[in-house]
C-alpha cells in the first residue's frame, strides 16, 4: 500500500517541450481518451475514456481492481502512479460485470448516472425538486480530486459532489462531519479487501450526537477508537497533531452542520487520509525525494487494538508482518480472503466438537489445550466456582462454551466465538493462561506433536551431536599429534573440551540446519571456541549446568547452529 512508484510527475511537466511535440502528444492523447476535465450534458464517457483534472493529478474513469476483469467500477485515482491508488469509487457496492456498453452521463432528469446496457446501475439520486435539467449542466473533475455536478462553468452552485459521498479516502478540501438537519454523518468506510472496494468492516465518522468527537467503529456498531473532543487546535486524544507543520486542520460548527476539514499548506504536496483495511486511519503524504507514501500518523496506534481484526479464533501478533494467525486446531475460513488482508471471516475448527456433532471423533469427549502468552479473549463470564476442575467441567457441560480460565481466585468461561486474542510479547506475558476447547483428536495431535518434538530435542539430537562432536575432537587430536607443531594452545581455539555436551536447539535452528544440508552446502561440524562455549553457557553459569557427568560437569548449551557453521 505504501510503495507505489511515481511516474513522471510535476518535475517533468514544468520543463519546456517543443510546441509541435506537445501538439502531437495532445492529438494522440485525445484519440485515446477525452483528456478533458469536463463531461458536458449530452456526452458520455465510456470504455477507456477518462477525465483528467486540470493540474494532472487526478483521473476519473472505469477500472477493475486486482485480477477481476468482470467487476467494473467508476472511480478517481492519482494519475501519475504506476499502480493505481483509488481515492473514490462511485458504485463500490454495485460492480458492473459486462464490460461492453458501460457509460457515464448526465441523464435527462439532471442526475449523473452509470448505465450498463442502457439500464441505470448507479445514480446521484438527487431529490426531484432540486435537480436541474438545464443544458448547461456539466460534471467536472476538479484539481482537488472532487468530482462535481454543476450548472454552467461559472456557477458556484454545485448540485452534487463526490466529496459529499466519500468511500475510504478523505482528500484535502473535503469535509468529514455531520449534517445536523438530516442527522446524516459522512463516514469513510474501508474496502472489503485489497481487491474489492465494497464496504468493509471499519468506518470512521463524526459523533452522531453532535459532539466534536470522531469514532472508528467496527461493523458500524462497536466503537474501538475515539478522537476525544476538539479543543480548537487538536483532538484531545491525538496529541501528534500538535507538532504539525504540513496540515491546516479546522473544525466548523454551525446550525446546519459540524464538520472537520483540512488543507495542505504547500498545495503541491499530495496527501490523503484513509480508513485502511487494517482498521487504522492513516494520514499519508507523498514524499517526492523518497518516492514513497509516508504515514504521517495512524490511529489506533497499536495495530492489535483494532476490534476483531483477526476475526473469530484468530490471534493478532503486533510483531509479525502478517499480523493474524489462527489458533491451534483452527484454519482460516477463506485463505483467498486472508491473502487479500481480509481476516473478518476469522478461523473455523478443523474438527467439530463432540458436543456439536455426536458422530464426529467417534464420540470422544472434547478436551482443552493451554494457551500461553496470549491475552484473554473478549467478554469473559465469571462463575462462582472454587476449583480448576469444576471450572473445566462447567465449560465441558455447556456446548456453547469454547474456553475457560481459572486463576486461583475465580473461574471464567467464554461462549461462542473468541475475539480480540493477541499474542503477548516477551516480558509482559503474565499468568494469563486460558484453556481452549478442542475436539479429542485435535487435543491428541497437539499433545503428540509436543511429545515428538520433545523426544527430538531431548534424546535424538543430543545423542547424535555428542557422537559427531566426539568424533571430531578425536580427529583433531590425531591431526594435532601428527602435525606436532610447536604452537602454543590459545584460549581462543580450545578444541579439547573435557565435558559431555547436550545441545538444546530450537525447531527453527534445526530446520535451518537441515535446509543448509539439503541446499548442497556442506554441513560441516561446528568448531567451538572457548569463547563461544563460554558465551553459550553464560560463563558456565550454574543455571545452565545440567549435572555432573562421568567426565565433569554437563552444561546446557544454546547455540545458533547456522552462525556456527564454518
Ligand atoms: C424539496 O422538497 C423537500 C420536501 O419534499 C423540501 O423539504 C425541500 O425544501 C425542497 N427543496 C427545494 C430546493 O425546494
Ligand atoms: C436550474 O437551472 C436554472 C437555469 O436553467 C437556474 O436558474 C437555476 O439556478 C438552477 N437551479 C439550481 C438548483 O441549480
Ligand atoms: C462566465 O464567465 C465568462 C468568462 O469568464 C464571462 O464572460 C461571463 O460573463 C460569465 N457569466 C456569468 C453568468 O457569470
Ligand atoms: C456512519 O453513518 C451512520 C449513519 O449516518 C451512523 O449511524 C454511523 O454511526 C456512522 N459510523 C461511524 C463510524 O461513525
Ligand atoms: C448519544 O445519545 C444517546 C441518546 O441521547 C445516548 O444514549 C448515548 O449515550 C449518546 N452517545 C454519546 C457517545 O454521547
Ligand atoms: C454486522 O452487523 C450486521 C447488522 O447489524 C449483522 O447482521 C452482522 O452479523 C454483523 N457482522 C458480524 C460479523 O458480526
Ligand atoms: C487554514 O484553513 C482555514 C480554513 O480553511 C483558513 O481560513 C486559513 O487561512 C488557513 N490557514 C493557513 C495558514 O493557510
Ligand atoms: C512545496 O513542495 C514542493 C515539492 O515537495 C517543493 O519543491 C516546494 O519548495 C515546496 N514549497 C514551499 C513553499 O515549501
Ligand atoms: C508470523 O506469521 C506466519 C504466518 O501466520 C507464521 O508462519 C510465523 O510463524 C509467524 N512468525 C512469528 C515469529 O510468530
Ligand atoms: C447424540 O445422539 C444420540 C443418539 O444417537 C441422541 O440421543 C442424543 O440426543 C444426541 N446428542 C446430541 C447432543 O445431539
Ligand atoms: C457430523 O460428523 C460427521 C462425521 O465427521 C459428518 O459426516 C457430518 O456431516 C457431521 N454433521 C454435522 C451436522 O456437522
Ligand atoms: C511464553 O513466553 C515466554 C517468555 O517470552 C517464553 O519463554 C515461553 O517459551 C513462551 N511459552 C510458550 C508456550 O510459547
Amino acid at each position: 500500500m505504501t510503495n507505489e512508484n511515481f511516474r513522471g510527475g510535476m518535475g517533468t511537466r514544468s520543463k519546456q517541450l517543443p510546441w509541435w511535440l506537445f501538439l502531437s502528444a495532445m492529438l494522440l492523447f485525445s484519440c485515446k481518451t477525452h483528456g478533458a476535465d469536463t463531461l458536458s450534458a449530452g456526452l458520455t464517457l465510456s470504455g477507456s475514456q477518462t477525465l483528467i483534472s486540470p493540474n494532472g493529478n487526478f483521473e476519473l474513469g472505469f477500472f477493475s481492481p486486482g485480477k477481476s476483469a468482470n467487476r467494473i467500477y467508476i472511480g478517481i485515482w492519482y494519475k501519475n502512479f504506476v499502480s493505481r491508488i483509488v481515492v473514490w469509487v462511485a458504485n463500490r457496492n454495485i460492480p458492473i460485470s459486462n464490460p461492453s456498453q458501460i457509460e457515464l452521463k448526465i441523464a435527462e432528469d439532471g442526475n449523473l448516472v452509470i448505465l450498463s446496457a442502457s439500464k441505470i446501475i448507479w445514480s446521484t439520486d438527487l431529490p426531484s425538486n432540486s435537480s436541474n435539467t438545464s443544458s448547461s449542466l456539466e460534471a467536472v473533475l476538479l484539481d482537488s480530486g472532487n468530482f462535481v455536478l454543476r450548472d454552467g462553468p461559472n456557477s458556484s452552485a454545485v448540485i452534487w459532489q463526490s466529496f459529499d459521498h466519500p468511500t475510504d479516502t478523505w482528500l484535502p478540501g473535503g469535509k468529514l462531519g455531520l449534517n445536523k438537519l438530516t442527522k446524516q454523518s459522512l463516514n469513510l468506510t474501508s474496502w472489503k479487501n485489497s481487491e474489492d472496494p465494497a464496504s468493509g468492516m471499519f468506518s470512521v465518522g463524526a459523533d452522531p450526537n453532535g459532539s466534536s468527537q470522531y469514532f472508528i467503529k467496527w461493523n458500524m456498531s462497536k466503537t474501538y477508537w475515539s478522537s476525544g473532543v476538539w479543543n480548537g487546535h487538536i483532538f484531545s486524544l491525538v496529541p501528534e497533531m500538535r507538532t504539525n507543520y504540513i496540515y491546516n486542520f479546522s473544525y466548523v460548527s454551525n446550525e446546519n452542520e459540524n464538520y472537520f476539514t483540512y488543507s495542505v499548506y504547500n498545495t503541491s504536496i499530495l496527501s490523503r487520509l484513509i480508513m485502511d483495511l487494517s482498521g487504522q486511519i492513516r494520514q499519508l503524504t507523498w514524499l517526492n525525494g523518497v518516492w514513497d507514501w509516508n504515514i504521517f500518523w495512524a490511529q489506533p496506534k497499536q495495530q492489535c487494538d483494532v476490534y476483531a481484526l483477526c476475526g473469530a479464533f484468530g490471534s493478532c501478533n503486533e510483531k509479525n508482518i502478517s499480523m493474524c494467525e489462527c489458533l491451534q486446531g483452527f484454519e482460516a475460513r477463506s485463505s483467498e480472503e486472508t491473502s487479500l488482508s481480509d481476516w473478518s471471516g476469522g478461523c473455523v475448527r478443523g474438527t467439530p466438537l463432540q458436543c456439536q456433532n455426536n458422530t464426529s471423533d467417534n464420540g470422544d469427549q472434547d478436551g482443552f489445550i493451554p494457551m500461553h502468552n496470549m491475552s484473554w479473549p473478549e467478554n469473559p463470564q465469571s462463575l462462582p466456582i472454587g476449583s480448576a476442575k469444576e471450572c473445566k467441567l462447567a465449560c465441558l457441560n455447556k456446548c456453547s462454551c469454547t474456553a475457560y480460565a481459572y486463576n486461583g481466585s475465580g473461574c471464567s468461561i467464554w461462549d461462542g466465538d473468541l475475539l480480540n486474542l493477541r499474542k503477548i510479547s516477551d516480558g509482559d506475558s503474565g499468568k494469563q493462561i486460558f484453556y481452549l476447547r478442542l475436539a479429542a483428536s485435535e487435543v491428541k495431535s497437539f499433545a503428540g506433536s509436543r511429545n515428538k518434538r520433545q523426544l527430538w530435542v531431548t534424546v535424538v539430537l543430543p545423542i547424535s551431536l555428542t557422537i559427531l562432536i566426539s568424533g571430531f575432537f578425536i580427529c583433531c587430536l590425531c591431526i594435532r599429534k601428527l602435525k606436532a607443531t610447536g604452537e602454543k594452545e590459545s584460549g581462543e581455539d580450545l578444541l579439547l573440551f573435557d565435558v559431555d555436551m547436550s545441545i538444546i536447539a530450537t525447531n527453527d535452528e534445526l530446520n535451518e540446519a537441515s535446509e543448509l544440508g539439503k541446499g548442497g552446502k556442506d554441513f560441516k561440524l561446528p568448531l567451538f571456541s572457548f569463547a563461544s562455549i563460554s558465551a553459550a553457557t553464560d560463563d558456565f553459569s550454574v543455571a545452565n549446568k545440567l549435572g555432573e557427568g562421568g567426565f565433569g560437569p554437563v552444561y546446557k548449551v544454546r547455540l545458533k547452529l547456522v552462525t556456527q557453521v564454518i
Side-chain angles (χ1 to χ4, degrees):
M1 184 104 340
T2 57
N3 54 358
E4 292 88 0
N5 301 317
F6 197 72
R7 191 207 297 145
M10 290 132 213
T12 49
R13 199 172 309 112
S14 57
K15 278 185 196 138
Q16 290 282 317
L17 287 170
W19 63 270
W20 51 271
L21 200 66
F22 187 67
L23 202 71
S24 51
M26 281 294 281
L27 279 171
L28 254 173
F29 215 62
S30 59
C31 290
K32 197 167 159 277
T33 69
H34 265 230
D37 61 349
T38 305
L39 179 69
S40 309
L43 296 179
T44 61
L45 192 76
S46 60
S48 61
Q49 294 175 329
T50 58
L51 299 181
I52 295 168
S53 66
N55 64 4
N57 281 352
F58 293 99
E59 185 166 22
L60 177 145
F62 301 86
F63 74 101
S64 300
K67 294 174 282 292
S68 60
N70 56 0
R71 283 190 293 118
I72 300 163
Y73 300 89
I74 285 195
I76 300 173
W77 55 86
Y78 287 104
K79 179 164 168 29
N80 295 305
F81 288 79
V82 172
S83 62
R84 183 172 285 152
I85 301 160
V86 175
V87 297
W88 181 74
V89 184
N91 52 327
R92 71 182 303 181
N93 291 313
I94 326 161
I96 300 160
S97 54
N98 183 0
S100 59
Q101 307 171 303
I102 302 179
E103 341 174 271
L104 175 73
K105 66 182 229 181
I106 298 168
E108 271 94 45
D109 65 358
N111 273 305
L112 194 60
V113 296
I114 301 174
L115 299 171
S116 169
S118 310
K119 256 178 44 203
I120 293 178
I121 298 292
W122 173 90
S123 158
T124 48
D125 280 333
L126 299 167
S128 55
N129 61 359
S130 76
S131 65
N132 204 317
T133 53
S134 92
S135 60
S136 53
L137 281 181
E138 57 180 15
V140 189
L141 181 59
L142 303 179
D143 280 346
S144 57
N146 191 9
F147 187 46
V148 302
L149 179 64
R150 64 186 186 192
D151 187 17
N154 3 16
S155 165
S156 60
V158 167
I159 300 167
W160 177 94
Q161 56 182 339
S162 65
F163 272 12
D164 288 340
H165 304 270
T167 48
D168 69 336
T169 304
W170 181 26
L171 292 170
K175 296 176 183 177
L176 200 61
L178 175 76
N179 183 330
K180 287 180 179 168
L181 305 176
T182 61
K183 298 276 175 210
Q184 274 285 322
S185 71
L186 288 190
N187 298 336
L188 303 178
T189 305
S190 64
W191 283 30
K192 181 156 188 336
N193 63 44
S194 55
E195 295 185 353
D196 187 351
S199 304
M201 276 294 173
F202 309 110
S203 58
V204 61
D207 181 0
N209 281 8
S211 83
S212 60
Q213 295 196 76
Y214 283 75
F215 297 126
I216 306 183
K217 293 181 184 175
W218 174 82
N219 201 16
M220 294 283 244
S221 53
K222 176 83 189 176
T223 301
Y224 62 88
W225 180 82
S226 69
S227 66
V229 291
W230 178 250
N231 70 6
H233 302 285
I234 61 165
F235 285 109
S236 61
L237 302 179
V238 194
E240 296 92 316
M241 289 177 79
R242 201 172 291 134
T243 56
N244 154 44
Y245 46 90
I246 298 178
Y247 305 105
N248 176 12
F249 289 102
S250 43
Y251 185 71
V252 177
S253 179
N254 57 39
E255 66 273 17
N256 294 329
E257 53 183 358
N258 280 346
Y259 68 87
F260 195 53
T261 185
Y262 74 106
S263 57
V264 183
Y265 291 127
N266 182 344
T267 49
S268 66
I269 294 178
L270 299 182
S271 181
R272 59 196 171 115
L273 188 143
I274 57 169
M275 180 72 247
D276 193 62
L277 281 175
S278 66
Q280 282 181 325
I281 46 171
R282 293 180 178 171
Q283 177 92 58
L284 300 156
T285 302
W286 178 256
L287 294 180
N288 255 334
V290 190
W291 308 111
D292 203 356
W293 288 97
N294 171 48
I295 300 183
F296 190 70
W297 55 266
Q299 298 285 345
K301 277 197 211 82
Q302 293 273 312
Q303 179 67 74
C304 292
D305 283 343
V306 172
Y307 186 83
L309 177 66
C310 300
F313 301 104
S315 80
C316 182
N317 185 355
E318 200 82 39
K319 298 246 171 78
N320 199 332
I321 307 163
S322 54
M323 290 287 172
C324 292
E325 223 173 8
C326 288
L327 296 182
Q328 191 106 27
F330 289 80
E331 56 209 34
R333 186 184 296 272
S334 161
S335 55
E336 196 188 333
E337 277 170 10
T338 55
S339 72
L340 299 171
S341 314
D342 174 20
W343 274 84
S344 59
C347 308
V348 292
R349 280 182 195 282
T351 313
L353 294 177
Q354 181 256 339
C355 83
Q356 292 170 330
N357 182 347
N358 251 338
T359 56
S360 71
D361 259 17
N362 308 317
D364 284 349
Q365 199 177 35
D366 302 332
F368 293 90
I369 63 167
M371 304 300 293
H372 296 280
N373 297 348
M374 186 87 76
S375 69
W376 277 12
E378 203 181 56
N379 298 331
Q381 304 167 25
S382 48
L383 297 180
I385 286 177
S387 81
K389 214 172 185 175
E390 284 175 60
C391 188
K392 180 177 173 178
L393 264 178
C395 186
L396 211 49
N397 290 334
K398 192 177 181 195
C399 194
S400 61
C401 179
T402 46
Y404 80 91
Y406 186 80
N407 66 358
S409 55
C411 170
S412 304
I413 63 166
W414 284 267
D415 263 355
D417 292 350
L418 301 181
L419 284 179
N420 284 342
L421 292 156
R422 131 175 15 199
K423 278 256 170 66
I424 298 176
S425 54
D426 308 346
D428 52 14
S429 55
K431 301 270 181 291
Q432 294 242 48
I433 191 165
F434 72 92
Y435 294 86
L436 175 70
R437 183 181 199 159
L438 288 177
S441 59
E442 297 277 0
V443 175
K444 262 181 225 137
S445 75
F446 169 76
S449 73
R450 205 169 46 172
N451 289 344
K452 219 158 134 192
R453 204 173 60 210
Q454 268 173 358
L455 187 76
W456 246 98
V457 172
T458 57
V459 182
V460 181
L461 190 75
I463 290 176
S464 38
L465 275 174
T466 310
I467 292 168
L468 284 173
I469 290 166
S470 1
F472 181 72
F473 285 160
I474 291 164
C475 278
C476 286
L477 202 65
C478 293
I479 290 166
R480 286 208 161 207
K481 280 200 174 151
L482 278 175
K483 274 190 180 169
T485 58
E487 259 176 50
K488 279 213 169 154
E489 231 170 64
S490 76
E492 291 288 309
D493 278 318
L494 188 75
L495 291 171
L496 285 166
F497 204 61
D498 201 13
V499 289
D500 204 353
M501 281 191 296
S502 110
I503 295 189
I504 307 214
T506 64
N507 255 8
D508 281 353
E509 286 158 357
L510 285 179
N511 287 344
E512 279 171 345
S514 67
E515 259 158 37
L516 262 170
K518 268 186 246 142
K521 264 193 199 167
D522 282 352
F523 180 63
K524 290 192 189 126
L525 271 177
L527 186 79
F528 300 107
S529 68
F530 181 84
S532 67
I533 300 264
S534 162
T537 57
D538 231 341
D539 245 343
F540 303 94
S541 80
V542 186
N544 283 325
K545 192 165 153 181
L546 295 171
E548 298 265 340
F551 301 94
V554 181
Y555 286 92
K556 176 165 112 182
V557 183
R558 223 187 116 87
L559 294 169
K560 188 110 176 104
L561 282 180
V562 163
T563 59
Q564 300 290 341
V565 170
I566 308 158

